[in-house]
């Protein structure tokens, strides 16, 4: 969830309340097991937990030792064990093996399982099948929103995409609804809500039920969040597949940003140790360059270094009193800024070395050609060469998926050729990868015969509108087309610029991709906000193969395939987008 502010908007809500709420709830759950206990934490919950309750806080509430949940015997000697885990079957097997091993050894301990963000019936069934359901107590840590920055919240659910868009598992939609309900409870009901996609619609409807069931006192309070957008990820695969060229995007691409932090290795820190760095607004250097095009970053860092040096040089003409004030008030901040500046310069150098080695300019050129629909044959040849040179298995897949989505599927001959070459270069185990990408609609093969849209058109002439809508949904679930070219033309996603695109003074959102492409999801949000409704966007929604909904006002709502009626308009201070 991101909260982009307009220049004239007031300050953002204080999201630190979410962190305090999550910490207090976790402490309450730990205290339900009084006395000393060892805490077993699942790997992908460690970073979120560290952002909410560090080791010292856990120690204050009688957590003795911390262990990672992994596939090996536990070495804990404590008489009380607490497990903080995701609701996954493999975790239940792990806990069951540990409890049953204690039973065989004649050892009696207390066991508590805390599920995050929620408990699933299937997990309890596994505990029952393993014969330990009565030996463990189960609870939920309803931690659904983690503030990563002043304008960024994350649900930290890495399995959401695979579960829903690949496996068709809808269980996480309830978690999204709970997160929305929490936000509306803390910050007031949302005056305006818009969404695109089946998952967005289900999450919205579940959230509305939660709102109707609870007669909250907060319903009458002034809303702090003006607009909320629910957008399915499969509505805009292209944006996720393109290479960003702003600093934060390149840091993520090179080092991987996880839970709002990044591990800089020795090549960045200029030492023999790695360093974990939080990337947020508190890092003054990062905050000023995070959204800058990479070509502008080095110039900014050079100027920043000169300014810091000038501030240090001020010491030379100071008397004793001035020096005392300088040391007590400014020196610590300057040293911190100097350290961060050094790290970001090192990160830039590391990015430059990697991108030069991987012919980054050629990669970007190919992506831009695919987006514009030019030189497709040359782009396909580049992808083949990229695979044959074994440059990067992930980048090769990204290029293939981008080609597939922008061209509404690969020509059968190209699909077979690229697939064969990829398997030969990176190994036959990727057969499953191709199968999954095909099922998710990311890498498909063009099929002969009528297009999906044409079939829908014929069907709709023979049946009623309501039945046609149901049949259309059925077709969409079987074979969803991207229609990228038509959408791109309709929304002007490929900017037409006279002369060279000015990256230092960008005029639109396309600067994120060097002026080649405006992110589809961002364009949709922009258009809806400008129109204050979906009015005039019904053709775009049809091309997206999505059901669309919109409402204004908590108790007035209209949901359906067509354009929704807007009941009233309320000015907003912030906008929020949610991607699942």
């Amino acid at each position: 969830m991101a909260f982009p502010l307009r220049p004239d908007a007031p300050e953002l809500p204080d999201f630190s309340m979410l962190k305090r709420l999550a910490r207090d709830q976790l402490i309450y759950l730990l205290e339900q097991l009084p006395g000393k206990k060892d805490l077993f934490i699942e790997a992908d919950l460690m970073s979120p937990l560290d952002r909410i309750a560090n080791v010292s806080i856990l120690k204050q509430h009688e957590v003795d030792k911390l262990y990672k949940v992994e596939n090996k015997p536990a070495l804990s000697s404590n008489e009380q064990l607490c497990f903080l885990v995701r609701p996954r079957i493999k975790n239940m097997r792990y806990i069951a093996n540990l409890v049953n091993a204690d039973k065989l050894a004649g050892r009696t301990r207390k066991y508590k399982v805390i599920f995050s963000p929620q408990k699933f019936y299937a997990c309890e069934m596994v505990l029952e099948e393993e014969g330990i359901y009565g030996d463990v107590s189960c609870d939920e840590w309803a931690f659904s929103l983690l503030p990563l920055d002043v304008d960024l919240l994350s649900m930290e659910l890495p399995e959401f995409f695979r579960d829903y868009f690949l496996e068709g598992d809808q269980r996480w939609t309830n978690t999204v609804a709970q997160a929305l309900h929490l936000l509306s409870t803390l910050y007031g009901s949302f005056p305006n809500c818009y969404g695109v996609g089946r998952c967005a619609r289900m999450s919205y409807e579940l959230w509305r039920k939660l709102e109707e069931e609870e007669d909250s006192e907060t319903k009458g309070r002034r809303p702090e969040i003006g607009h909320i957008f629910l957008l399915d990820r499969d509505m805009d695969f292209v944006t996720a597949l393109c290479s960003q060229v702003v600093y934060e995007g390149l840091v993520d691409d090179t080092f991987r940003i996880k839970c709002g932090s990044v591990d800089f290795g020795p090549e960045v820190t200029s030492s023999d140790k790695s360093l974990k760095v939080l990337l947020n607004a508190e890092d003054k250097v990062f905050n000023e360059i995070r959204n800058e095009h990479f070509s502008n970053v080095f110039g900014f860092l050079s100027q920043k270094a000169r300014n810091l040096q000038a501030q240090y040089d001020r010491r030379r003409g100071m008397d004793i009193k001035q020096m005392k004030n300088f040391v007590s008030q400014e020196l610590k901040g300057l040293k911190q800024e100097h350290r961060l500046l050094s790290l970001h310069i090192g990160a830039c150098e590391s990015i430059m070395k990697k991108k030069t080695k991987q012919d980054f300019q050629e990669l970007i050129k190919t992506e831009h050609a695919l987006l514009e629909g030019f030189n497709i044959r040359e782009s396909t040849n580049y992808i083949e060469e990229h695979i044959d040179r074994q440059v990067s298995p992930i980048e090769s897949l990204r290029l293939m998926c981008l080609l597939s989505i922008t061209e509404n599927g690969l020509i059968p001959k190209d699909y077979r050729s690229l697939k064969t070459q990829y398997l030969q270069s990176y190994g036959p185990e990727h057969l499953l990868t191709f199968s999954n990408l095909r099922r998710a609609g990311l890498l498909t093969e063009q099929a002969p015969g009528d297009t999906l849209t044409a079939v829908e058109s014929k069907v709709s002439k023979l049946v009623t509108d309501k039945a046609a809508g149901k049949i259309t949904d059925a077709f969409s679930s079987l074979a969803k087309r991207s229609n990228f070219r038509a959408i791109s033309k309709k929304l002007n996603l490929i900017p037409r610029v006279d002369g060279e695109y000015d990256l230092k003074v960008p005029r639109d959102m396309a600067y994120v991709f060097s002026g080649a492409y405006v992110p589809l999801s961002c364009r949709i949000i922009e258009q809806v906000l400008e129109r204050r409704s979906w009015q005039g966007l019904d053709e775009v929604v049809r091309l997206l193969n999505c059901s669309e909904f919109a409402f204004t006002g908590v108790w007035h709502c209209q949901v359906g395939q067509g354009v929704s009626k807007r009941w009233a308009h309320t000015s907003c201070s912030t906008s929020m987008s949610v991607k699942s």
Side-chain angles (χ1 to χ4, degrees):
M1 302 183 185
F3 299 79
L5 273 179
R6 298 196 314 270
D8 61 336
E11 291 185 2
L12 285 161
D14 179 15
F15 295 118
S16 60
M17 192 188 306
L18 290 166
K19 192 180 291 186
R20 292 195 297 271
L21 195 65
R23 181 173 61 244
D24 292 346
Q25 186 184 12
L26 178 62
I27 290 170
Y28 172 79
L29 293 172
L30 291 174
E31 289 177 346
Q32 299 303 300
L33 199 62
K36 283 193 174 184
K37 57 258 183 188
D38 287 349
L39 181 61
F40 289 75
I41 311 170
E42 192 164 0
D44 66 359
L45 279 171
M46 285 186 164
S47 292
L49 177 62
D50 190 49
R51 298 291 297 267
I52 289 171
N54 55 30
V55 174
S56 62
I57 292 176
L58 296 176
K59 294 285 185 184
Q60 290 171 19
H61 295 87
E62 299 185 285
V63 173
D64 190 18
K65 294 178 182 178
L66 298 174
Y67 296 91
K68 184 190 290 187
V69 173
E70 50 192 349
N71 192 24
K72 64 180 183 181
L75 301 175
S76 172
S77 58
N78 206 302
E79 295 305 308
Q80 296 192 119
L81 304 183
C82 188
F83 301 89
L84 181 59
V85 295
R86 298 287 194 193
R88 296 168 178 158
I89 301 298
K90 66 175 184 178
N91 291 332
M92 300 305 101
R93 303 287 185 202
Y94 171 84
I95 295 169
N97 290 338
L98 194 152
V99 175
N100 285 326
D102 282 349
K103 284 183 177 180
L104 287 173
R107 184 170 189 175
T108 303
R109 294 202 253 199
K110 286 186 178 180
Y111 310 94
K112 183 179 183 66
V113 182
I114 301 175
F115 294 96
S116 178
Q118 67 182 95
K119 175 173 59 179
F120 290 137
Y121 177 70
C123 294
E124 294 181 301
M125 286 295 294
V126 172
L127 295 176
E128 191 170 350
E129 288 171 6
E130 295 287 343
I132 66 162
Y133 187 73
D135 300 305
V136 302
S137 60
C138 297
D139 241 315
E140 285 183 342
W141 183 31
F143 159 60
S144 53
L145 289 170
L146 174 65
L148 297 181
D149 210 338
V150 292
D151 60 350
L152 182 66
L153 303 178
S154 173
M155 295 190 69
E156 292 300 304
L157 284 178
E159 63 264 65
F160 190 112
F161 179 85
R162 182 186 180 92
D163 282 357
Y164 181 83
F165 293 102
L166 183 63
E167 306 295 344
D169 189 339
Q170 300 173 4
R171 58 182 177 170
W172 295 115
T173 55
N174 186 59
T175 309
V176 177
Q178 293 281 1
L180 292 170
H181 181 58
L182 175 63
L183 275 181
S184 66
T185 301
L186 295 177
Y187 303 104
S189 298
F190 314 126
N192 310 282
C193 183
Y194 307 95
V196 177
R198 190 186 301 274
C199 182
R201 183 170 175 172
M202 284 192 295
S203 300
Y204 167 80
E205 290 173 349
L206 286 169
W207 166 57
R208 291 298 306 135
K209 287 180 181 177
L210 291 174
E211 293 283 296
E212 290 166 5
E213 288 171 2
E214 184 175 299
D215 185 19
S216 175
E217 295 178 1
T218 61
K219 287 182 179 179
R221 65 180 291 181
R222 181 181 178 275
E224 296 184 56
I225 298 170
H227 287 70
I228 183 165
F229 286 83
L230 307 175
L231 310 175
D232 278 15
R233 175 74 274 173
D234 65 345
M235 179 209 72
D236 182 18
F237 280 139
V238 171
T239 299
L241 292 170
C242 291
S243 300
Q244 291 186 71
V245 285
V246 293
Y247 178 66
E248 186 171 10
L250 284 168
V251 168
D252 181 44
D253 189 34
T254 308
F255 304 101
R256 289 293 170 221
I257 299 174
K258 296 180 180 178
C259 200
S261 64
V262 64
D263 286 315
F264 285 139
E267 73 280 6
V268 174
T269 61
S270 301
S271 66
D272 57 348
K273 295 181 180 179
S274 295
L275 184 65
K276 189 173 185 178
V277 179
L278 285 178
L279 298 178
N280 55 33
E282 293 180 7
D283 182 338
K284 294 181 181 179
V285 178
F286 175 72
N287 196 44
E288 292 188 63
I289 62 175
R290 64 193 304 173
N291 297 319
E292 289 290 328
H293 191 276
F294 194 67
S295 61
N296 303 329
V297 172
F298 270 113
F300 172 85
L301 293 177
S302 298
Q303 184 61 47
K304 190 76 174 177
R306 287 193 291 270
N307 293 343
L308 273 178
Q309 188 59 51
Q311 287 179 283
Y312 275 120
D313 292 342
R314 285 173 43 231
R315 296 174 296 176
R316 294 175 183 174
M318 291 181 179
D319 56 28
I320 294 177
K321 185 177 180 181
Q322 290 172 328
M323 181 64 73
K324 183 180 178 181
N325 289 335
F326 175 80
V327 171
S328 62
Q329 296 177 13
E330 297 182 45
L331 186 59
K332 186 177 179 180
L334 288 175
K335 285 184 176 180
Q336 172 71 0
E337 204 165 342
H338 184 273
R339 185 183 71 86
L340 293 170
L341 182 62
S342 177
L343 282 173
H344 290 298
I345 290 174
C348 285
E349 290 174 343
S350 183
I351 290 169
M352 286 290 290
K353 287 177 184 177
K354 181 179 179 182
K355 295 308 179 185
T356 302
K357 186 178 179 181
Q358 292 187 357
D359 302 322
F360 190 58
Q361 291 299 325
E362 283 298 314
L363 175 69
I364 294 294
K365 183 180 176 182
T366 301
E367 287 183 3
H368 291 183
L370 293 175
L371 290 167
E372 295 182 26
F374 296 140
N375 302 324
I376 299 301
R377 179 45 51 194
E378 288 83 347
S379 298
T380 305
N381 292 338
Y382 173 82
I383 297 172
E384 290 178 340
E385 182 187 347
H386 201 272
I387 293 170
D388 293 340
R389 289 191 293 126
Q390 296 183 324
V391 177
S392 164
I394 296 297
E395 282 187 3
S396 296
L397 280 176
R398 278 171 56 185
L399 286 169
M400 291 165 65
C401 291
L402 188 60
L403 172 61
S404 171
I405 291 172
T406 54
E407 293 297 306
N408 271 337
L410 297 177
I411 298 169
K413 180 183 176 182
D414 288 342
Y415 180 86
R416 290 192 296 270
S417 173
L418 288 168
K419 181 179 178 181
T420 301
Q421 290 179 71
Y422 192 93
L423 295 174
Q424 289 173 346
S425 286
Y426 301 113
E429 65 271 16
H430 289 287
L431 272 169
L432 181 59
T433 303
F434 276 83
S435 174
N436 288 340
L437 289 172
R438 188 168 189 154
R439 286 168 57 199
L442 278 159
L443 186 56
T444 59
E445 186 179 358
Q446 289 181 4
D450 284 330
T451 64
L452 177 63
T453 308
V455 173
E456 290 177 16
S457 178
K458 291 176 182 178
V459 167
S460 64
K461 292 177 182 178
L462 300 175
V463 296
T464 63
D465 290 342
K466 188 174 182 180
K470 292 181 179 179
I471 294 175
T472 297
D473 282 347
F475 275 119
S476 297
S477 65
L478 292 172
K480 190 171 182 178
R481 296 177 63 82
S482 71
N483 298 319
F484 177 76
R485 295 276 172 252
I487 295 170
S488 177
K489 186 177 180 180
K490 193 79 177 173
L491 293 176
N492 192 28
L493 299 183
I494 311 298
R496 301 300 174 203
V497 182
D498 295 330
E500 191 173 343
Y501 192 92
D502 190 352
L503 294 171
K504 290 188 177 180
V505 188
R507 293 178 298 176
D508 54 41
M509 294 176 283
Y511 86 96
V512 175
F513 300 111
S514 292
Y517 166 68
V518 176
L520 172 57
S521 47
C522 297
R523 179 69 92 194
I524 287 176
I525 292 173
E526 178 190 54
Q527 290 292 308
V528 171
L529 289 176
E530 283 183 1
R531 299 162 188 264
R532 299 179 180 179
S533 72
W534 288 101
Q535 190 69 39
L537 294 174
D538 46 337
E539 177 65 16
V540 172
V541 172
R542 188 188 67 79
L543 290 169
L544 287 170
N545 299 308
C546 293
S547 56
E548 160 270 327
F549 66 90
F551 89 99
T552 301
V554 178
W555 304 114
H556 300 286
C557 171
Q558 187 176 32
V559 181
Q561 292 280 359
V563 177
S564 300
K565 179 179 179 182
R566 185 174 178 85
W567 297 91
H569 171 63
T570 306
S571 60
C572 71
S573 58
T574 61
S575 300
M576 182 176 79
S577 59
V578 182
K579 283 190 181 178
S580 49

